[in-house]
Amino acid sequence: MVKLIASLLLLAVVAQAYGDFKCALSKQESKSFVRELQREREEHQLKEKQNLSHEGQDQECKGSLAVPEITKDWVDMKDACIKGMRNQIQEEINASYQYLAMGAYFSRDTVNRPGFAEHFFKAAKEEREHGSKLVEYLSMRGQLTEGVSDLINVPTVAKQEWTDGAAALSDALDLEIKVTKSIRKLIQTCENKPYNHYHLVDYLTGVYLEEQLHGQRELAGKLTTLKKMMDTNGELGEFLFDKTL
Ligand SMILES: *[C@@H]1O[C@H](CO)[C@@H](O)[C@H](O)[C@H]1NC(C)=O
Ligand SMILES: *[C@@H]1O[C@H](CO)[C@@H](O)[C@H](O)[C@H]1NC(C)=O
Ligand SMILES: [Fe+2]
């Protein structure tokens, strides 16, 4: 008898957990990260229009399992630094879209520079990864407990055409300089007293700044070579340089 009750109880617990699990899964189906965020934002706006409260929205999938109360003392990032991180995420996403536009431009049949196109598409992918790594970092620090609807906005891309490869590489270098400055500012914010977020500052310095500085040097070198080739050989120089990318 006791055994029977115990197994019934176990079954009920498993079924409940499975329900919550399925619910969580169905919320994560979409493949694209940015698309998912955008969809979430649209849903949120729709709900707001229908004047449903945030709580009502969460209720859908909450089931009957109460969120256990555990200490939040480990969640200790400070506001200015969090705000800076969120800004940096958007900065990386913006850069990603700008590179995407560059890749698309050099892919045009009327432009046809496959080397440049591939180079910029790769850069776009890397920037998006930089953005999502920072989202992961915030999550690791317990800072993604609420809706992420306002975390990422799809930017409008400022520029979509370039006179030649050199103009695009020059813009890419400017973009990287802007991102580098933004990371440096974020580091300064987060290392300030009383925050002293050593771990994050170490990560931003060792991983993000490291990549920025090497990336800038690489772009500067490429731009120099390309300009030399174009000075002596014009379009042929650009055509040949494209093969090296
Ligand atoms: C939405 O609902 C709240 C409370 O239920 C109410 O105070 C508020 O005025 C409503 N907003 C609109 C736009 O109807
Ligand atoms: C991202 O780009 C948008 C333009 O679409 C701009 O308004 C916004 O300030 C940019 N954000 C950052 C952090 O650079
Ligand atoms: Fe980046």
Side-chain angles (χ1 to χ4, degrees):
M1 189 63 184
V2 174
K3 258 189 188 171
L4 182 66
I5 292 173
S7 24
L8 280 177
L9 269 178
L10 184 67
L11 202 65
V13 169
V14 169
Q16 170 71 67
Y18 178 66
D20 278 32
F21 173 67
K22 235 172 57 181
C23 195
L25 264 191
S26 72
K27 277 198 154 181
Q28 294 173 1
E29 263 166 7
S30 177
K31 284 170 205 134
S32 153
F33 178 67
V34 173
R35 212 186 308 139
E36 169 72 6
L37 288 177
Q38 207 182 0
R39 195 180 60 82
E40 206 180 277
R41 181 149 40 105
E42 280 163 6
E43 266 178 20
H44 181 73
Q45 281 165 352
L46 190 72
K47 290 259 159 80
E48 250 177 6
K49 266 191 202 151
Q50 295 167 343
N51 200 13
L52 293 175
S53 71
H54 234 293
E55 250 173 68
Q57 194 181 350
D58 287 343
Q59 224 71 55
E60 278 172 29
C61 277
K62 250 184 188 160
S64 53
L65 282 186
V67 178
E69 273 192 33
I70 59 171
T71 178
K72 286 282 175 199
D73 288 354
W74 65 276
V75 181
D76 59 357
M77 269 181 85
K78 295 290 182 274
D79 280 351
C81 182
I82 298 167
K83 196 159 160 268
M85 278 288 275
R86 292 174 84 98
N87 180 69
Q88 187 61 35
I89 290 166
Q90 185 67 52
E91 192 86 45
E92 304 284 352
I93 298 300
N94 281 13
S96 170
Y97 274 86
Q98 185 57 71
Y99 278 131
L100 196 60
M102 287 178 176
Y105 174 77
F106 288 98
S107 300
R108 288 185 192 181
D109 62 313
T110 50
V111 178
N112 206 35
R113 291 280 181 262
F116 279 101
E118 199 192 325
H119 175 83
F120 290 131
F121 281 139
K122 192 166 149 256
K125 189 165 164 255
E126 283 171 8
E127 296 310 329
R128 197 189 56 171
E129 277 167 9
H130 294 166
S132 47
K133 288 277 177 223
L134 294 184
V135 173
E136 277 174 35
Y137 188 91
L138 280 182
S139 166
M140 185 272 282
R141 297 292 298 271
Q143 294 298 346
L144 283 185
T145 50
E146 284 169 18
V148 287
S149 325
D150 62 339
L151 192 55
I152 290 177
N153 290 300
V154 176
T156 47
V157 174
K159 204 164 166 184
Q160 301 184 13
E161 294 189 337
W162 289 265
T163 47
D164 52 33
L169 280 186
S170 176
D171 276 4
L173 184 54
D174 286 343
L175 184 61
E176 293 303 337
I177 293 169
K178 183 168 172 278
V179 172
T180 303
K181 278 186 183 153
S182 167
I183 294 172
R184 211 173 277 149
K185 198 171 144 229
L186 177 61
I187 289 172
Q188 280 164 359
T189 303
C190 296
E191 76 181 351
N192 262 346
K193 280 182 183 168
Y195 309 148
N196 294 330
H197 288 313
Y198 308 116
H199 183 262
L200 174 59
V201 166
D202 180 56
Y203 178 53
L204 290 172
T205 309
V207 178
Y208 278 70
L209 267 192
E210 167 83 6
E211 191 170 332
Q212 284 307 120
L213 299 184
H214 284 284
Q216 285 177 183
R217 169 61 182 84
E218 199 195 324
L219 276 171
K222 280 189 161 69
L223 189 55
T224 303
T225 305
L226 174 59
K227 278 186 179 256
K228 280 184 185 171
M229 288 172 79
M230 288 177 75
D231 275 352
T232 47
N233 295 287
E235 292 235 334
L236 181 62
E238 189 197 39
F239 175 82
L240 289 174
F241 184 82
D242 181 73
K243 305 289 170 214
T244 70
L245 285 171

